[in-house]
Amino acid sequence: MRRLLATAATLALAGGFHGAALAQSSGNEAMSEASTAMDESENYFASESTLPFKAPDFSKISEDDYMPAFEQGMAIQQAEVQAIIDNPEAPTFDNTIVALEKSGRMLGRVGTVFFQLTGTNTTDRLDEINTEISPRLSAHSDSITLNPALFARVKAVYDNRAAMAMTPEDAKLLEETYKSMVHAGAELTDAERARVKEINTELSTVTTEFAQEARNAMAEQPVFFDSREELAGLSESDITSAAKLAEEEGQPGKFAIALQNTTQQPLLPSMENRAAREKLFKASYNRADGTTDIDTRELVAKIAALRAEKAALFGEPDWASYTMYDRMVESPQAALDFMGQMVPALAETQRREAGVLNEKIAEQGGNFEVQPWDWYRYANQVKAERYEVDDDEVMQYFQLDKVLEDGVFYMAEKLYGLTFERRTDLPVYHPDVWVYNVFEENGSQLGIFYFDPFQRPSKRGGAWMSNFVDQSYLWDEKPVIYNVLNIPKAPEGEPQLVSFDWVNTAFHEFGHALHGFFASQKYPSLSGTATARDFVEYPSQVHEMWATYPEVLQNYAKHYQTGETIPTELVDKIEAASKFNQGYDFGEVVEAALLDMKWHALSSDEAAAIDTPEEVSAYEDKSLRELGLEIDLVPPRYRTTYFNHIFSGPAGYSAGYYSYLWTQMLDRDSRAWFLENGGLTRENGDHYRETVLSQGGTMDYGEMYRNFADRDPNVQYMLVALGLAEEAPGTPGQTVGDPSDGKLPAKTVDGDAPIAE
């Protein structure tokens, strides 16, 4: 999911510094001279792409282009910013704020391509460049956001805003530019700004290293098995893939299973051999914690300490308080209390479900109690018996190309009038990438969509969306967007079937894509998914509802051999079964979100005191045990040592993993609205597009939601959907917490307060 992967590239391009060459009446000469000098060493990124919609031409890009392009892009932007500072005219919205928005076009071009490739198809050379360039990009960003002379001009415009005639989007750009510079440290003392710069550089280096090591712990350390018997229960294609991977890893005759990014592993439920299950699970759970030669714990300690120290420089008690300044949920305590209200019911559900699984184990003659490596195997058996759902049977109805073209795209046509056309003429960065033109109902082209579905060693785990080109009226640009998944690729010649989880993920990530495609902003820094971290996951989650909507499902869920449409009874069983096992499914996400908050609620002194690998492990264990959940049975979705969301990138989802829960609440309330108003209709789609998907980051999120639903969201819809409560709200619009002032609870009541995955 976008958005953006929290990399140094995004840091360098944050705060409204997106753009291109300036067009100032003064200062043009300095900028022009710098650009001319730079043109002598032009490479691919020095000019805009000539492909449709300025899509990257991967056939013309080499690894040798990146470092010179980064250097040239930074130098050009420095000249552009200096031209703003040197402008003798009084600061205005156009000559300061818009000029800043326009700066850095070349840097943006190289950054969007480079950091996409380091996430999806990296190489040793790209990793080397990433290690070198990330701290330099951080320093470059600081040279802009912490420049006193530039901030003086921005502040002069901001202080005069009441006397200026601006559109609402102009006003929002001004506000966000000013706030981002203050948040970066523009109002600190010289000594404090100097230390912030040092911290930012250090964070850029250490978080890049964490991301690489976490990926290596997953991609370069498959789990080996000596015999075929150990893999009993797996399909023939899975066993064939395991034998092939072992051979590729230099151990022919053995079998190897590659780890995926989450703690739980998708093959565990099918494995009959309990010792083999335990081996695979523990390899996943213990990765990057020193059990092997990869250990990220010292990096974690450094990141936590640096972040807490930076927060203290701003007078904040902890990193969570510092970084949540622009969120929909405005304080760590509000997020904690929002999650905390779910814990009692969730803990009881975990204990109750564990009891059911232990009964199933005893029924089969097992002389043990359920452990995490057993959980899904027996949960799936119980689910199959209670609801008669066989996951392998379900997969027969979900063939990847049909899921995308007859499911996801069909949903987009029925809701929004979009149509899609496959094209094979555009260069791609990997042969497995699919490309589509996207058209409006009137035939005009809306943008271009790239789809990268398959797992590979050069790709980090998870699923996400981002842009190669952002929509912007300022530059007359339409969006070029990609979705990335990590589906295990079927052996050559076999149909590419996918689990229902991956079906949901495909709808989810395309929800992000629609948020980007329907952007309708002048300024790229406010466009599309450029929204608060705890809002951006909401439009993607709500599109998951259409995966099982009858009209959509019947169009794409066809048996790959017979062509038979998935039976209604099986769909009903899938829906009924979705409420079972929430003790684990929902619990692991809640635990990860609470663990995230624990790490980022440390004061500077507390964080500094955790400085050894052993202390990192001890703090993680202590934090998890304080949650009141069954963490020995249900470990977090990500442990600290491979929690890329929060430790990869200078900020990322740090103190923000709760977003997936908060936005799930918005999502479930929205699903209720859609169903109350007729479901899959163009009228509903156009309304959602107008009130939410087209708004970008241009307005208050509570106001945006009320414009859509005409009410505040209610957490009860989510609790009912998860099986944690029994009754839906009696009165639509009943809010979480005290709604007395008519605002969303996160805005008003501490304690009643997304992202891509």
Side-chain angles (χ1 to χ4, degrees):
M1 141 217 183
R2 198 160 164 162
R3 177 129 161 114
L4 282 176
L5 314 173
T7 60
T10 39
L11 181 65
L13 301 175
F17 312 140
H18 282 257
L22 300 178
Q24 300 304 310
S25 58
S26 302
N28 265 349
E29 186 176 349
M31 184 276 296
S32 178
E33 289 176 358
S35 298
T36 300
M38 239 74 60
D39 287 343
E40 296 175 2
S41 59
E42 254 186 38
N43 68 13
Y44 168 79
F45 293 104
S47 57
E48 293 179 342
S49 170
T50 58
L51 293 182
F53 297 97
K54 303 177 185 176
D57 189 344
F58 292 101
S59 69
K60 295 182 179 178
I61 301 171
S62 80
E63 292 182 350
D64 293 335
D65 287 330
Y66 291 114
M67 187 58 75
F70 274 123
E71 291 174 340
Q72 183 174 341
M74 287 189 288
I76 290 174
Q77 189 174 28
Q78 287 287 1
E80 293 165 341
V81 170
Q82 192 60 46
I84 298 172
I85 294 169
D86 292 342
N87 191 335
E89 297 178 3
T92 67
F93 180 78
D94 286 332
N95 72 21
T96 301
I97 307 303
V98 176
L100 199 51
E101 177 75 0
K102 287 182 175 180
S103 72
R105 287 278 280 178
M106 180 178 177
L107 188 58
R109 286 194 295 271
V110 61
T112 54
V113 172
F114 177 80
F115 287 104
Q116 163 63 348
L117 290 189
T118 58
T120 60
N121 197 31
T122 196
T123 65
D124 289 344
R125 178 57 185 144
L126 292 181
D127 283 347
E128 290 172 1
I129 295 171
N130 194 1
T131 299
E132 179 179 353
I133 201 61
S134 290
R136 293 178 61 184
L137 286 171
S138 177
H140 171 74
S141 175
D142 287 342
S143 73
I144 298 172
T145 58
L146 297 177
N147 187 306
L150 179 63
F151 180 66
R153 290 186 67 92
V154 171
K155 188 175 186 302
V157 179
Y158 183 77
D159 289 345
N160 191 44
R161 63 192 183 282
M164 299 165 57
M166 292 185 290
T167 67
E169 189 176 342
D170 290 343
K172 187 66 172 177
L173 179 66
L174 172 59
E175 178 188 359
E176 293 302 318
T177 303
Y178 175 78
K179 283 169 55 179
S180 67
M181 293 188 77
V182 171
H183 188 69
E187 294 186 325
L188 298 179
T189 67
D190 290 344
E192 289 168 338
R193 281 199 302 273
R195 180 55 187 150
V196 165
K197 290 179 181 179
E198 292 172 354
I199 290 173
N200 289 346
T201 299
E202 291 181 68
L203 276 173
S204 181
T205 299
V206 74
T207 55
T208 297
E209 186 178 354
F210 179 94
Q212 293 174 351
E213 289 293 273
R215 188 194 68 234
N216 292 342
M218 177 183 68
E220 297 181 4
Q221 297 189 333
V223 185
F224 289 93
F225 298 90
D226 295 325
S227 68
R228 186 184 184 92
E229 288 70 30
E230 290 178 277
L231 303 186
L234 297 187
S235 68
E236 272 303 313
S237 63
D238 285 333
I239 294 174
T240 299
S241 297
K244 181 180 178 182
L245 178 59
E247 186 171 355
E248 292 172 352
E249 293 290 327
Q251 297 198 38
K254 293 192 175 185
F255 302 85
I257 296 177
L259 294 176
Q260 295 204 27
N261 63 320
T262 55
T263 299
Q264 275 291 345
Q265 297 296 299
L267 293 183
L268 283 171
S270 300
M271 297 174 70
E272 297 173 0
N273 186 310
R274 188 169 190 247
R277 288 200 305 272
E278 181 177 1
K279 181 178 181 179
L280 177 58
F281 177 86
K282 286 187 173 179
S284 173
Y285 183 82
N286 294 323
R287 82 183 92 149
D289 70 353
T291 302
T292 65
D293 59 349
I294 297 178
D295 191 341
T296 60
R297 290 177 295 174
E298 287 189 0
L299 299 175
V300 167
K302 290 179 183 177
I303 294 167
L306 288 168
R307 285 175 173 170
E309 182 188 353
K310 180 174 176 178
L313 288 170
F314 286 83
E316 296 288 356
D318 50 59
W319 176 260
S321 299
Y322 167 75
T323 200
M324 290 178 71
Y325 81 105
D326 63 347
R327 302 275 177 84
M328 191 174 182
V329 178
E330 293 183 326
S331 75
Q333 193 58 50
L336 286 168
D337 288 350
F338 166 68
M339 293 184 284
Q341 66 184 302
M342 306 171 195
V343 166
L346 180 56
E348 174 56 32
T349 300
Q350 289 178 336
R351 289 189 285 270
R352 182 178 66 251
E353 290 180 349
V356 171
L357 302 187
N358 284 328
E359 289 176 6
K360 171 55 63 177
I361 291 168
E363 178 185 310
Q364 296 182 2
N367 187 27
F368 58 89
E369 292 194 347
V370 67
Q371 296 297 320
W373 50 90
D374 305 312
W375 189 291
Y376 274 99
R377 178 168 179 78
Y378 292 98
N380 285 359
Q381 291 179 16
V382 172
K383 185 185 296 186
E385 290 177 2
R386 286 189 178 182
Y387 308 102
E388 298 180 329
V389 174
D390 182 332
D391 289 340
D392 290 335
E393 177 192 359
V394 170
M395 283 182 66
Q396 311 306 306
Y397 294 93
F398 298 126
Q399 193 165 330
L400 180 60
D401 57 343
K402 294 186 180 299
V403 169
L404 180 68
E405 296 181 353
D406 297 340
V408 173
F409 290 173
Y410 179 81
M411 170 270 294
E413 179 183 5
K414 292 301 179 181
L415 270 180
Y416 307 111
L418 303 185
T419 55
F420 302 82
E421 175 187 74
R422 181 80 180 266
R423 63 185 302 170
T424 58
D425 59 316
L426 290 180
V428 292
Y429 56 85
H430 191 278
D432 286 340
V433 176
W434 310 348
V435 185
Y436 295 85
N437 287 332
V438 185
F439 296 99
E440 294 271 29
E441 188 175 36
N442 64 9
S444 64
Q445 190 167 350
L446 181 62
I448 298 175
F449 176 63
Y450 291 69
F451 185 62
D452 181 359
F454 299 125
Q455 182 185 32
R456 52 181 171 265
S458 59
K459 182 190 285 188
R460 72 176 179 88
W464 63 95
M465 162 271 181
S466 193
N467 290 49
F468 285 126
V469 180
D470 287 317
Q471 177 276 333
S472 166
Y473 297 129
L474 183 68
W475 298 111
D476 193 25
E477 290 179 342
K478 293 186 176 183
V480 178
I481 288 172
Y482 55 85
N483 276 177
V484 178
L485 281 66
N486 261 282
I487 298 169
K489 194 173 183 180
E492 189 72 28
E494 294 191 16
Q496 183 60 60
L497 304 178
V498 298
S499 69
F500 186 66
D501 283 345
W502 279 117
V503 172
N504 257 336
T505 301
F507 277 83
H508 175 105
E509 294 304 332
F510 199 74
H512 283 306
L514 289 169
H515 201 181
F517 279 125
F518 291 149
S520 185
Q521 280 68 59
K522 179 177 181 179
Y523 304 113
S525 62
L526 299 175
S527 178
T529 57
T531 63
R533 183 63 74 202
D534 56 3
F535 187 84
V536 73
E537 292 298 330
Y538 154 56
S540 55
Q541 287 187 340
V542 80
H543 281 88
E544 293 178 28
M545 73 176 290
W546 307 114
T548 55
Y549 194 79
E551 181 182 346
V552 179
L553 194 67
Q554 290 164 15
N555 196 64
Y556 77 92
K558 311 280 187 180
H559 196 282
Y560 79 101
Q561 291 175 318
T562 68
E564 174 196 4
T565 301
I566 192 169
T568 302
E569 311 83 66
L570 183 55
V571 177
D572 292 341
K573 292 172 184 177
I574 293 171
E575 292 281 11
S578 68
K579 293 184 180 181
F580 179 75
N581 204 41
Q582 287 304 318
Y584 206 111
D585 291 345
F586 189 61
E588 66 171 357
V589 177
V590 172
E591 290 171 9
L594 289 166
L595 180 61
D596 168 31
M597 278 293 178
K598 287 285 189 177
W599 276 112
H600 294 111
L602 290 168
S603 70
S604 183
D605 289 343
E606 289 169 336
I610 302 172
D611 62 356
T612 68
E614 294 73 22
E615 287 167 342
V616 168
S617 294
Y619 181 74
E620 177 192 60
D621 185 69
K622 174 178 178 291
S623 298
L624 288 171
R625 294 194 181 283
E626 288 174 347
L627 301 181
L629 296 171
E630 298 295 322
I631 60 104
D632 290 327
L633 293 176
V634 183
R637 185 170 174 82
Y638 304 97
R639 282 190 67 209
T640 296
T641 53
Y642 48 92
F643 206 162
N644 251 315
H645 285 74
I646 67 171
F647 291 121
S648 172
Y653 270 78
S654 61
Y657 199 73
Y658 73 88
S659 300
Y660 290 103
L661 305 173
W662 174 252
T663 53
Q664 189 173 357
M665 182 266 289
L666 300 178
D667 155 37
R668 289 294 176 172
D669 188 87
S670 296
R671 295 186 193 205
W673 182 93
F674 273 105
L675 296 178
E676 290 164 5
N677 288 276
L680 187 80
T681 68
R682 278 300 308 280
E683 182 179 4
N684 286 344
D686 289 346
H687 176 67
Y688 193 64
R689 176 176 180 171
E690 178 184 354
T691 56
V692 177
L693 295 178
S694 66
Q695 295 300 317
T698 61
M699 64 187 300
D700 176 82
Y701 302 110
E703 180 184 355
M704 193 186 301
Y705 191 86
R706 286 186 290 274
N707 288 345
F708 158 63
D710 197 29
R711 67 188 186 214
D712 285 333
N714 190 329
V715 72
Q716 192 76 2
Y717 287 110
M718 178 177 76
L719 298 179
V720 170
L722 295 172
L724 300 177
E726 295 183 357
E727 296 183 2
T731 305
Q734 175 187 349
T735 57
V736 187
D738 179 4
S740 58
D741 68 353
K743 294 183 179 180
L744 280 172
K747 295 288 185 182
T748 60
V749 182
D750 263 5
D752 287 312
I755 104 207
E757 286 174 280

